[in-house]
Amino acid sequence: MPPLAAGTEERAAIMAFVGGMSRDEVEACAGVPAAPTVLDPLPAGDGLGLWRAGVARLSPHAPQCPDYHEGEWRQVYARAMAFLDAFGAQAEALGWTTPELWGVHPMLGTVRVDHCGALALVVGGPVVVITRDAIHHDRHTFRRRPHAPRGIPLWEFG
């Protein structure tokens, strides 16, 4: 395989180490265009473009919500990056929304799990399968809840 593009080595290392991906899986995802810089405005609407831009605003080193412990946040962040590369387009095609994936309570963050999206929680492990109605992690399944309260995107918290 060709070497990773410039600027993606740290992202690849995070995905491999914390996200549980093999180096081959990381390199297979390397063809995905890099996320926009933090200074870029968020795209209008919902979907993969917004998710990439929103996650690009997050730091892999400092949790957005105070409820994450340092080690937990690194796992959540790495899984988010891996999800975008492996399942982002599929999630968009299946109609998953920003709050369903990235939502947190606007005042309490992840303490109110009823407002949390499938990727905001620490539990579960990496995503392995996504369907129209559920996101299956290694150890947990997040099911769509049409009448559940909606949180705000993780990158808007605080």
Side-chain angles (χ1 to χ4, degrees), residues 12 19 46-47 55 59 65-66 72 81 99 126 156:
D46 204 353
V55 171
S59 167
C65 291
E72 292 174 338
M81 299 302 286
E156 291 179 10

Side-chain angles (χ1 to χ4, degrees), residues 21-92:
M21 296 178 74
S22 71
R23 186 64 183 195
D24 289 339
E25 290 171 316
V26 170
E27 289 179 0
C29 294
V32 178
T37 65
V38 173
L39 301 176
D40 290 341
L42 290 173
D46 204 353
L48 188 55
L50 173 63
W51 303 337
R52 285 196 184 282
V55 171
R57 292 178 177 224
L58 302 173
S59 167
H61 309 293
Q64 187 78 6
C65 291
D67 344 314
Y68 291 115
H69 299 289
E70 184 179 335
E72 292 174 338
W73 173 245
R74 283 194 305 265
Q75 290 177 0
V76 169
Y77 183 84
R79 290 175 190 156
M81 299 302 286
F83 177 86
L84 288 172
D85 291 341
F87 297 102
Q90 183 181 2
E92 182 178 44

